[in-house]
């Protein structure tokens, strides 16, 4: 097939199922599946590698901390941690108001849980702490079980109408702590019984819809602070509408000084945040707008005596120091178990969705079950220190990632910032107006309100998708790698058919069911397992090598400058007293020599773990080992370094150049599946692997969903697997199996 629009001709007998099984030699069940006794024996074996794997899966910090490179990751994690810690301060205090708790408990919630997650979490970029949605949910519990009416003060015989704020807040803290501990225990239990798969049903549109709706409730909860009014507390169905209506009725009683503080704060925050976005490429780190706001507002309130002169409500007493741990009131568990379960599920949904987003972007994997355990322990332990429910925040996580954070060391650094504030600086914020904290929450919800734009895209696809979704039959599909039946254009599962032959350089991946949100992650995992291609590790090592190469180039540039300076000194008769530079360049010697004309080629460590001891010589050259290079070999060295690739990292090689995704079984496609496929295209293109789709009948849906781009076009779609195979072999210069008929082989001559 010399051109794309070529032709092929195949002559073969007509095959019924009986003749097909005879030709392909289908394997028996016992040949495919080992006996149950053997499976049980393997599962009960306890070897040192298995014990080590189990220990590291329970305590992920033991896996990455010994390999932590202070030189590569130390400074980025510190800078990132400081940036996130600065965000924790205003958000912690503001979201404590959402939970109807004193602001200092928001600071506690920003301190303890990140430290627990450091030991048990598997995501490197999420920032654990307060979150809008969970704070609102906790607030609904605390106000339901501890309403103001239960704490009215009396003068001995009659109620005065004043609320005993200290007693009310103390009980609300107990309610929040009990709810948090119970929710954390539920998450730990679900993680232990491998309930993490529930995250596959919590699709991105579902989570975004939930958080968008919760943002409306968050606004409703902040209106009383923004306008300085005291609406009634409603619960149950339509409670938001009743609250909004009550606020509307109370608008004539708006406290004008409070409204002025809110309006000025909101206006300044919006302008400052837009400037942050506009200048983001020129700023090394975003300007901490919220922190500057609360500092300025505290100074203005303190020196202007806003509380005393204008009755502007302020934060009030913030105790310095850390509170001692205490056992939660277990008698409250029965009253809050429903709320605790809801908090556990919602918190996990947000955590796993954010974790997977960053993991996919940076080429690593998060363990859904371990994330449940890590989040549960963060909540359970935090509850003993009067924290309320936590999960990652999108805004803080984005800052942690964009400012260069590499590991959860950034979370430890952010906790240190909060700790210093709690111990030494907390009392300085006692005059901070609550209206300022409410305004910070209000402005930070802008991103959630933008999610309403999702409705347009989802509406275009909802008719077909909703009709065809079948959870029961497509949750656990069968995945297989297809091989060719020699002399035919037929492709069958290679594991179950002895005569199926692999196409050189091509992996044909088939799913027995439609790919959609509930099995999209399983699809990715199965592709990695069946093909032997761990794209995450491939990308990690490629980027690591590229980063090291940049450092080598900078060192070489500095060395050239010093050499040029020495040459200049020699020419001018200057004395040569400098000592030969001892800071050599770290480089990896390729395992095989390459000609200067050869094109660099990425080779993959297939069939092994790049982090294991089998990479012996590599571990000896990691960060810290140097080789001093003389100037006489600089030119040849630079040429060699240009050709250093993943293939230099070990004895394994990877020869696959194309992957064909057989979507002939799919009868619909949703947004999550589209994003999964797009990510596959982008990730594999980074390592020079082509992705093609065969048998897809939803071209119009792909177009409506914005699937096609400059990188992904209709040229990547083929009518059948065989068409895609022929194109791959022609496009990448491969050859057919020797068992193909000569008439087919001649097409590539």
């Amino acid at each position: 097939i010399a051109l794309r629009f070529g032709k092929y001709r195949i002559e073969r007998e007509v095959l019924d199922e009986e003749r097909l099984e005879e030709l392909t030699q289908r394997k028996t069940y016992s040949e495919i599946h080992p006996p149950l006794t053997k499976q049980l024996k393997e599962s009960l074996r306890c070897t040192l590698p298995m014990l080590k794997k189990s220990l590291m899966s329970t305590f992920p910090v033991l896996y990455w901390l010994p390999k932590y490179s202070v030189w590569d990751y130390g400074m980025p994690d510190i800078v990132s941690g400081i940036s996130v810690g600065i965000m924790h301060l205003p958000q912690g205090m503001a979201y404590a108001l959402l939970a109807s708790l004193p602001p200092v408990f928001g600071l506690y919630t920003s301190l303890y849980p990140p430290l627990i997650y450091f030991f048990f979490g598997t995501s490197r970029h999420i920032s654990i702490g307060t979150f809008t949605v969970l704070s609102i949910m906790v607030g609904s519990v605390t106000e339901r079980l501890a309403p103001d009416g239960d704490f009215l003060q009396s003068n001995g015989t009659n109620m005065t109408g004043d609320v005993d704020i200290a007693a009310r807040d103390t009980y609300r803290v107990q309610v929040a702590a009990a709810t948090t501990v119970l929710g954390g225990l539920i998450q730990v239990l679900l993680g232990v019984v491998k309930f993490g798969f529930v995250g596959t049903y919590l699709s991105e549109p579902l989570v975004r819809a939930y958080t968008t709706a919760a943002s409306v409730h968050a606004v409703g909860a902040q209106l009383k602070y923004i306008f300085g009014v005291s609406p009634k507390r409603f619960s149950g169905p339509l409670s938001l509408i009743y609250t909004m209506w009550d606020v509307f009725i109370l608008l004539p009683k708006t406290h004008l000084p409070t409204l002025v503080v809110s309006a000025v704060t909101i206006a300044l925050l919006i302008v400052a945040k837009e400037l942050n976005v506009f200048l983001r490429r020129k700023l090394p780190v975003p300007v901490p707008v919220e922190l500057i706001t609360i500092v300025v507002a505290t100074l203005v309130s303190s020196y202007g005596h806003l509380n005393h002169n204008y009755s502007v409500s302020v934060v009030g007493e913030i105790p310095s120091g850390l509170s001692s741990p205490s056992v939660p009131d277990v008698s409250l568990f029965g009253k809050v178990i429903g709320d605790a379960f809801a908090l556990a599920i919602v918190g996990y949904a947000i955590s796993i969705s954010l974790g997977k987003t960053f993991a996919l972007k940076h080429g690593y994997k998060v363990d859904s079950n371990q994330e449940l355990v890590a989040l549960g322990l963060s909540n359970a332990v935090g509850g003993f220190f009067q924290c309320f429910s936590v999960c990652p925040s999108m805004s803080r996580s984005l800052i942690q990632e964009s400012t260069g954070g590499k590991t959860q060391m950034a979370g430890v650094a952010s906790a240190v910032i909060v700790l210093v504030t709690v111990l030494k600086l907390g009392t300085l914020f006692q005059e901070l107006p609550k209206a300022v904290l409410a305004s910070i929450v209000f402005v930070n919800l802008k991103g959630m309100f933008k999610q309403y734009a999702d409705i347009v895209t989802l509406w275009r696809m909802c008719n077909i998708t909703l009709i065809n979704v079948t959870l029961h039959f497509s949750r656990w599909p069968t995945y297989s790698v297809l091989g060719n039946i020699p002399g035919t254009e037929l492709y069958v599962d290679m594991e179950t058919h002895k005569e199926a032959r692999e196409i050189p350089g091509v992996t044909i991946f088939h799913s027995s069911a439609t790919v959609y949100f509930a099995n999209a992650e399983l699809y990715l995992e199965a592709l990695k397992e069946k093909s032997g291609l761990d794209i995450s590790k491939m990308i990690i090592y490629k980027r690591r090598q590229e980063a090291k190469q940049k450092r080598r180039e900078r060192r070489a540039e500095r060395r050239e400058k010093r050499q040029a300076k020495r040459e200049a000194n020699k020419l001018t008769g200057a004395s040569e007293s400098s000592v030969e530079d001892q800071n050599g360049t770290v480089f990896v010697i390729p395992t095989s020599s390459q000609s200067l004309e050869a094109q660099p080629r990425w080779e993959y460590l297939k069939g092994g773990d790049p982090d294991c001891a089998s990479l012996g010589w590599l571990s000896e050259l990691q960060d810290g080992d140097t080789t001093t290079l003389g100037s006489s070999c600089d030119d040849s060295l630079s040429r060699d370094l240009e050709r250093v690739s993943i293939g230099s990292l070990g004895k394994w090689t990877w020869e696959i150049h194309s992957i064909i995704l057989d979507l002939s079984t799919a009868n619909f496609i949703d947004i999550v599946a589209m994003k999964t496929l797009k990510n596959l295209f982008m990730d594999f293109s980074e390592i020079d692997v082509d992705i093609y789709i065969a048998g897809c009948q939803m071209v119009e849906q792909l177009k409506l969903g914005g699937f096609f781009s400059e990188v992904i076009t209709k040229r990547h779609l083929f009518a059948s697997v065989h068409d895609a195979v022929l194109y791959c072999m022609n496009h990448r210069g491969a050859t057919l199996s020797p068992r193909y008929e000569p008439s087919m082989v001649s097409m590539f001559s």
Side-chain angles (χ1 to χ4, degrees), residues 217 232-246:
H217 288 265
K232 297 177 183 178
R233 175 68 186 180
F234 298 93
S235 60
L238 304 179
S239 59
L240 176 64
I241 297 177
Y242 294 144
T243 301
M244 293 290 193
W245 177 253
D246 200 28

Side-chain angles (χ1 to χ4, degrees), residues 432-483:
L432 175 64
K434 290 183 179 180
V436 172
L437 296 177
S439 300
I440 291 174
V441 174
F442 186 84
V443 175
N444 283 343
L445 292 173
K446 181 185 70 172
M448 288 191 180
F449 280 108
K450 285 184 176 180
Q451 294 177 170
Y452 279 103
D454 293 354
I455 297 175
V456 178
T457 303
L458 295 173
W459 179 256
R460 293 174 180 171
M461 304 182 63
C462 69
N463 294 332
I464 299 176
T465 302
L466 290 177
I467 292 173
N468 288 283
V469 168
T470 316
L471 294 178
H472 179 70
F473 293 106
S474 55
R475 174 64 184 90
W476 300 106
T478 302
Y479 300 105
S480 57
V481 172
L482 305 184

Side-chain angles (χ1 to χ4, degrees), residues 274-344:
E274 290 300 322
L275 286 175
N276 247 348
V277 174
F278 181 74
L279 299 174
R280 65 181 181 273
R281 295 184 179 178
K282 299 180 181 179
L283 297 173
V285 294
V287 177
V289 178
E290 289 92 347
L291 181 64
I292 294 174
T293 299
I294 64 172
V295 170
V296 173
T298 302
L299 292 174
V300 172
S301 175
S302 179
Y303 288 101
H305 304 289
L306 297 185
N307 179 249
H308 183 267
N309 295 337
Y310 302 99
S311 300
V312 174
S313 179
V314 296
V315 168
E317 182 182 359
I318 298 180
S320 60
L322 301 174
S323 62
S324 58
S326 60
V327 178
D329 187 355
V330 295
S331 64
L332 293 171
F333 283 2
K335 300 177 182 179
V336 301
I337 186 169
D339 303 282
F341 187 81
L343 283 165

Side-chain angles (χ1 to χ4, degrees), residues 623-640:
D623 305 319
D625 292 337
T626 59
T627 302
T628 304
L629 305 170
S631 58
S632 61
C633 63
D634 281 352
D635 293 338
S636 60
L637 170 67
S638 62
R639 287 193 296 269
D640 288 339

Side-chain angles (χ1 to χ4, degrees), residues 355-633:
K356 287 180 179 179
T357 298
F358 289 111
L360 191 60
K361 180 178 180 181
H362 292 275
Y364 63 92
K365 179 189 174 184
V366 293
D367 186 329
S368 57
N369 292 310
Q370 183 62 27
E371 283 298 294
L372 258 176
V373 173
L375 191 62
L377 289 174
S378 299
N379 279 309
V381 176
F384 282 86
F385 292 90
Q386 292 80 51
C387 301
F388 54 91
S389 294
V390 297
C391 74
S393 160
M394 171 64 83
S395 58
R396 291 195 308 270
S397 299
L398 285 173
I399 293 299
Q400 182 165 320
E401 185 252 359
S402 62
T403 53
K406 304 295 184 182
T407 69
Q408 278 302 326
M409 278 293 188
V412 175
S414 68
V416 171
I417 299 296
V418 178
L419 177 62
V420 172
T421 303
V422 171
L423 294 179
K424 299 296 183 182
L425 306 177
T427 55
L428 299 179
F429 296 110
Q430 292 182 163
E431 293 297 319
L432 175 64
K434 290 183 179 180
V436 172
L437 296 177
S439 300
I440 291 174
V441 174
F442 186 84
V443 175
N444 283 343
L445 292 173
K446 181 185 70 172
M448 288 191 180
F449 280 108
K450 285 184 176 180
Q451 294 177 170
Y452 279 103
D454 293 354
I455 297 175
V456 178
T457 303
L458 295 173
W459 179 256
R460 293 174 180 171
M461 304 182 63
C462 69
N463 294 332
I464 299 176
T465 302
L466 290 177
I467 292 173
N468 288 283
V469 168
T470 316
L471 294 178
H472 179 70
F473 293 106
S474 55
R475 174 64 184 90
W476 300 106
T478 302
Y479 300 105
S480 57
V481 172
L482 305 184
N484 178 258
I485 302 302
T488 74
E489 81 289 5
L490 303 179
Y491 295 83
V492 294
D493 186 355
M494 294 181 60
E495 290 186 358
T496 59
H497 297 82
K498 297 178 181 178
E499 289 300 310
R501 296 292 180 264
E502 182 179 6
I503 304 299
V506 180
T507 292
I508 307 168
F509 186 66
H510 173 81
S511 171
S512 64
T514 294
V515 183
Y516 71 113
F517 74 88
N519 60 23
E521 183 182 2
L522 294 175
Y523 188 85
L524 292 177
E525 290 297 317
L527 175 58
K528 180 180 75 172
E529 178 185 352
K530 294 289 185 179
S531 64
L533 307 181
D534 194 333
I535 182 64
S536 301
K537 291 179 181 177
M538 295 162 73
I539 293 177
I540 287 174
Y541 276 86
K542 181 191 174 197
R543 291 176 179 173
R544 188 174 296 174
Q545 287 296 96
E546 290 174 343
K548 289 183 179 181
Q549 175 66 12
K550 290 180 181 179
R551 292 198 297 272
R552 297 181 193 117
E553 291 173 353
R554 288 195 295 267
R555 293 180 188 133
E557 184 179 353
R558 290 194 296 267
R559 186 169 58 253
E560 289 175 0
K561 289 181 179 180
R562 289 193 293 268
Q563 181 68 20
K565 185 176 181 180
R566 286 196 293 266
E567 293 295 333
N569 290 338
K570 289 180 181 179
L571 293 176
T572 57
S575 61
E576 182 63 53
S577 59
S578 62
V579 181
E580 180 68 22
D581 176 54
Q582 298 299 316
N583 293 325
T585 301
V586 178
F587 71 100
V588 179
I589 305 174
T591 55
S592 58
S593 60
Q594 301 182 28
S595 64
L596 297 182
E597 292 77 13
Q599 293 295 323
R601 180 171 72 95
W602 288 103
E603 294 179 334
Y604 175 54
L605 315 178
K606 181 176 179 180
D609 186 353
D611 297 313
C612 292
S614 52
L615 298 181
W617 66 272
L618 171 64
S619 62
E620 296 173 0
L621 289 178
Q622 290 279 355
D623 305 319
D625 292 337
T626 59
T627 302
T628 304
L629 305 170
S631 58
S632 61
C633 63

Side-chain angles (χ1 to χ4, degrees), residues 246-289:
D246 200 28
V247 171
F248 179 76
I249 296 298
L250 293 173
L251 284 181
K253 299 181 181 180
T254 298
H255 188 243
L256 290 181
T258 300
L259 181 61
V260 170
V261 171
S262 302
V264 171
T265 303
I266 291 173
L268 292 178
L269 281 173
I270 291 175
V271 172
K273 283 182 173 289
E274 290 300 322
L275 286 175
N276 247 348
V277 174
F278 181 74
L279 299 174
R280 65 181 181 273
R281 295 184 179 178
K282 299 180 181 179
L283 297 173
V285 294
V287 177
V289 178

